Amino acid sequence: MKGEKLQIMEEKVQEWSDIYHLHGLRHIGYQGGFPMIEFRKENPTFWMRLKENKLNKIVRQAEMSAGMELGVGINLRKTAFVLVNNETIVICGHEVVIGKIFENLFLQK
């Protein structure tokens, strides 16, 4: 079961890397039972312009949307986070929440 879950996570990481063109995207572990991923910050100006409150809003929207999609309502509230470091970005959360965060970050109009 554990190996199967890890394989699924590695497939998701590859899928996100291909879709969003993220360099160095890798699964780095778990926190609170949720996977953590990390990738290199390729466009520092994008991340500098992204204010902390806007980033928090993106995470909360992703949690709510994923909760509704999975049928768990608001049970995913305050389970995900995004850390913007000097050279990397770390995202932690349910796989569906991480996918929604990527959509909200990179597919915005």
Side-chain angles (χ1 to χ4, degrees):
M1 176 71 172
K2 192 173 190 177
E4 183 179 314
K5 189 174 182 180
L6 189 59
Q7 181 180 1
I8 291 170
M9 191 61 211
E10 293 302 322
E11 290 171 4
K12 288 299 258 184
V13 165
Q14 185 61 46
E15 177 183 328
W16 292 326
S17 182
D18 294 342
I19 292 171
Y20 302 109
H21 309 289
L22 301 171
H23 301 284
L25 182 65
R26 63 191 183 109
H27 179 236
I28 58 172
Y30 292 89
Q31 181 165 330
F34 294 109
M36 293 177 64
I37 60 169
E38 177 184 61
F39 58 95
R40 286 194 318 266
K41 190 191 304 183
E42 294 294 319
N43 185 356
T45 55
F46 170 80
W47 295 99
M48 285 174 40
R49 285 186 288 135
L50 191 62
K51 304 273 189 257
E52 186 175 343
N53 61 347
K54 174 72 172 166
L55 189 57
N56 289 337
K57 185 176 180 181
I58 287 171
V59 171
R60 300 303 164 243
Q61 287 174 339
E63 289 172 335
M64 293 300 289
S65 178
M68 297 304 254
E69 185 177 312
L70 294 171
V72 296
I74 62 170
N75 289 339
L76 293 177
R77 187 171 181 270
K78 295 190 178 192
T79 60
F81 61 84
V82 177
L83 297 174
V84 180
N85 299 318
N86 289 335
E87 297 177 8
T88 62
I89 308 296
V90 176
I91 302 176
C92 178
H94 188 279
E95 293 90 355
V96 177
V97 175
I98 294 173
K100 299 283 184 188
I101 290 172
F102 281 141
E103 287 175 17
N104 291 337
L105 281 173
F106 300 120
L107 301 180
Q108 298 179 37
K109 300 259 182 215

